[in-house]
Amino acid sequence: MTVKQLSMPELVASCGVLGIGNVGLWREPVQTYGLEATAKIVRDAGLTVTTLCRGGFFTAIDPRERSQALDDNRRAIDEAATLGTDTLVLVSGGLPAGSKDLHGARERIADALGELAPYAERRGVRLAIEPLHPMYASDRCVVSTLKQALDLAERFPAHQVGVTVDTYHIWWDDDAPAQIARAGAGGRIHTFQLADWTTPLPEGVLNGRGQIGDGAIDMREWQGHVEAAGYTGAIEVELFNDGLWARDGREVLAETAARFVEHTA
Amino acid sequence: MTVKQLSMPELVASCGVLGIGNVGLWREPVQTYGLEATAKIVRDAGLTVTTLCRGGFFTAIDPRERSQALDDNRRAIDEAATLGTDTLVLVSGGLPAGSKDLHGARERIADALGELAPYAERRGVRLAIEPLHPMYASDRCVVSTLKQALDLAERFPAHQVGVTVDTYHIWWDDDAPAQIARAGAGGRIHTFQLADWTTPLPEGVLNGRGQIGDGAIDMREWQGHVEAAGYTGAIEVELFNDGLWARDGREVLAETAARFVEHTA
């Protein structure tokens, strides 16, 4: 998504030029290029798919909506398996229209995980609950902290459900380092993502994630926390940024790779 | 600030018409009308000033900026005393330009409180640290949770330093009810403010606080928490909202009073 202006073949070619061996994919561009075609082009290029984003949106009360969400998540799990990744990132969903019940919404997430986690395990896919910044709590994700995500994940085995650690969402939280340690001890850090925090935030606060190094987050510090907790997996960079999307995608990918080298250990 | 389009005499008159006996004031409108004049007009009308907003912005590293901030806060304390309120609300400040050190910034707040709290006590004024929503952590307030605010406040006596509980900033936090209980047990809930959470957030995320009842927050639930913790003081409504500011201030004040009655116990 950082370079969503690139087509799938352009992305794969650019990764090759830059020596990038891992890529995290989103469902929409995969569907645009075709699931089987994407699986083939990344496999032929020797690229490893780190994660698929995203499943989730589990908070509907209406039974029909809820059933549709579960069906869609089973498809997402199947897609992850086809792409050869072992991790599906979950964005849990916000409050249903008119509801003020955060606790109830979080319980419905647990119910959905109970239905999906065994299905995912049979396909070799782990679910990774992503806490989103509290500014998304009403309309996008009622799971706002790593602690809440782990409280949900720990109801299930670690090989079924873990968490996504994304600097953009947790950097402000002085409890997050302890929760990273908790997640690591339980084998539940299923992916680690970087984005920087820059202000002013844009209207809607969706597409203002900063390029690595441009903002308030010390990337090495968070990398240190996850590595001290035992994480040895890939590190993803996930930027939603209208300014970056308006530029040449190859140039943005090269810049992002350079920033990654500059700001990580 | 909810009706900043009203002049001080218009505000006082509108409170009289609506039977509102308490008002929270901000420094800028007080300075516009004049400090002594404001103290007189509210006193003559029988209005109680609940709090003065705001002091703070303690996070500068530069010694000159830091000294200026402390001087300005001493003036704010003096103004609170002149207005007859016992509470000055503090917004702590964001990260200095180029800094990524949230912990250091929070320690500089503690240093500033150490200098200001005895001065405030001599003037009969309590300082009330307000945790702001984590979306303000970089540019406005590095104190993002009630827990962090209490960890700072508890370094000082409760009659010197407490906290501001504002629904807008804490509603997403499932640890906040426990922290309210902690604050109440220590006699540190120095004021309680209401605003609702509505989306989409506007650019810059400053002026999108929702009218009571328009958003995701259950006001009665939070009122229940602070009252169970022993809070018996006034309840303030503090809305920064471009839409409300564009309307007739008397009408907005009447609407706000009606919403308050509808959505609180």
Side-chain angles (χ1 to χ4, degrees):
Chain A
M1 281 299 278
T2 303
V3 286
K4 71 172 182 178
Q5 62 271 53
L6 295 181
S7 70
M8 197 62 73
E10 288 170 341
L11 173 67
V12 169
S14 297
C15 286
V17 168
L18 293 164
I20 297 171
N22 301 291
V23 64
L25 296 177
W26 273 58
R27 293 181 74 195
E28 294 76 2
V30 167
Q31 286 160 3
T32 299
Y33 189 66
L35 175 64
E36 296 293 344
T38 301
K40 181 174 191 323
I41 197 172
V42 296
R43 191 172 54 235
D44 288 352
L47 270 172
T48 299
V49 180
T50 49
T51 63
L52 180 65
C53 281
R54 60 187 189 197
F57 294 90
F58 295 134
T59 52
I61 295 171
D62 177 76
R64 185 185 163 84
E65 280 181 59
R66 176 177 169 73
S67 172
Q68 286 173 339
L70 290 173
D71 285 346
D72 186 57
N73 275 276
R74 288 186 198 96
R75 282 193 296 273
I77 291 163
D78 295 343
E79 291 163 16
T82 300
L83 292 168
T85 177
D86 62 0
T87 303
L88 176 67
V89 174
L90 302 181
V91 171
S92 298
L95 290 171
S99 171
K100 301 175 196 273
D101 180 12
L102 286 172
H103 176 76
R106 290 175 186 140
E107 285 306 305
R108 289 194 296 283
I109 295 165
D111 289 347
L113 291 170
E115 295 203 32
L116 292 171
Y119 181 91
E121 183 182 3
R122 287 194 296 276
R123 278 149 190 80
V125 175
R126 310 175 301 179
L127 305 176
I129 304 169
E130 180 164 13
L132 257 54
H133 192 283
M135 68 188 176
Y136 302 116
S138 72
D139 57 2
R140 191 156 295 264
C141 185
V142 297
V143 178
S144 303
T145 62
L146 265 180
K147 179 174 187 300
Q148 290 171 344
L150 283 165
D151 287 348
L152 282 166
E154 288 178 356
R155 301 190 195 185
F156 306 92
H159 66 276
Q160 286 186 349
V161 185
V163 297
T164 297
V165 177
D166 184 323
T167 59
Y168 189 77
H169 298 302
I170 65 167
W171 75 280
W172 57 271
D173 181 4
D174 58 3
D175 183 42
Q179 298 299 325
I180 288 172
R182 170 186 170 193
R188 292 183 194 270
I189 304 178
H190 287 355
T191 185
F192 176 47
Q193 301 181 332
L194 307 183
D196 214 337
W197 182 268
T198 52
T199 57
L201 295 165
E203 183 182 0
V205 301
L206 271 180
N207 300 329
R209 300 196 194 182
Q211 176 60 279
I212 306 305
D214 281 352
I217 305 177
D218 185 334
M219 299 297 162
R220 278 195 185 81
E221 181 184 331
W222 291 101
Q223 183 187 11
H225 290 311
V226 299
E227 291 184 352
Y231 183 73
T232 56
I235 303 177
E236 302 181 305
V237 178
E238 187 186 65
L239 310 178
F240 302 168
N241 185 306
D242 287 323
L244 294 178
W245 288 333
R247 290 168 49 194
D248 179 86
R250 292 175 189 83
E251 179 191 302
V252 171
L253 194 62
E255 173 186 286
T256 303
R259 293 291 187 97
F260 183 91
V261 170
E262 183 183 350
H263 292 278
T264 61
Chain B
M1 281 299 278
T2 304
V3 287
K4 70 172 183 179
Q5 62 272 54
L6 295 180
S7 70
M8 197 62 73
E10 289 170 339
L11 173 66
V12 169
S14 297
C15 285
V17 168
L18 293 165
I20 296 171
N22 301 291
V23 64
L25 296 177
W26 273 58
R27 294 181 73 195
E28 294 76 3
V30 168
Q31 286 160 2
T32 299
Y33 189 65
L35 176 63
E36 296 292 345
T38 302
K40 182 173 189 324
I41 197 173
V42 297
R43 193 170 55 234
D44 289 353
L47 271 172
T48 298
V49 180
T50 49
T51 63
L52 181 65
C53 281
R54 58 184 190 204
F57 295 90
F58 296 134
T59 51
I61 294 170
D62 177 73
R64 185 184 162 86
E65 278 182 60
R66 176 178 168 74
S67 172
Q68 286 173 339
L70 291 172
D71 286 347
D72 186 57
N73 276 275
R74 288 186 197 96
R75 282 193 295 275
I77 291 164
D78 294 344
E79 291 163 15
T82 299
L83 293 167
T85 178
D86 64 359
T87 303
L88 176 67
V89 174
L90 302 180
V91 172
S92 299
L95 290 172
S99 170
K100 301 173 196 271
D101 180 12
L102 286 172
H103 177 74
R106 290 175 187 139
E107 285 306 305
R108 289 194 296 282
I109 296 166
D111 290 346
L113 291 170
E115 296 203 30
L116 292 170
Y119 181 92
E121 182 181 5
R122 288 195 294 277
R123 277 149 190 81
V125 175
R126 310 176 300 180
L127 305 176
I129 304 170
E130 179 165 13
L132 256 55
H133 192 284
M135 69 187 175
Y136 302 116
S138 71
D139 57 1
R140 189 155 298 263
C141 186
V142 296
V143 178
S144 302
T145 62
L146 265 180
K147 180 173 186 300
Q148 291 171 343
L150 283 165
D151 287 348
L152 282 167
E154 289 178 355
R155 302 191 195 185
F156 307 92
H159 66 276
Q160 286 185 350
V161 185
V163 298
T164 298
V165 177
D166 184 323
T167 57
Y168 189 76
H169 298 301
I170 64 167
W171 76 280
W172 57 273
D173 180 5
D174 58 3
D175 183 43
Q179 298 299 325
I180 288 173
R182 170 185 170 194
R188 292 184 194 267
I189 304 178
H190 287 355
T191 185
F192 176 46
Q193 301 180 333
L194 307 183
D196 214 337
W197 182 269
T198 52
T199 57
L201 295 166
E203 183 183 359
V205 301
L206 271 181
N207 300 329
R209 300 195 194 184
Q211 176 61 279
I212 307 304
D214 281 353
I217 304 177
D218 185 333
M219 299 297 162
R220 277 195 185 81
E221 180 184 332
W222 292 102
Q223 182 187 11
H225 291 311
V226 299
E227 292 184 352
Y231 184 73
T232 57
I235 303 178
E236 301 180 305
V237 178
E238 187 187 63
L239 311 178
F240 303 168
N241 185 304
D242 288 324
L244 295 177
W245 287 334
R247 290 169 48 194
D248 178 84
R250 294 174 189 82
E251 181 191 303
V252 172
L253 193 63
E255 174 187 286
T256 304
R259 292 291 186 94
F260 183 90
V261 170
E262 184 184 351
H263 292 278
T264 62

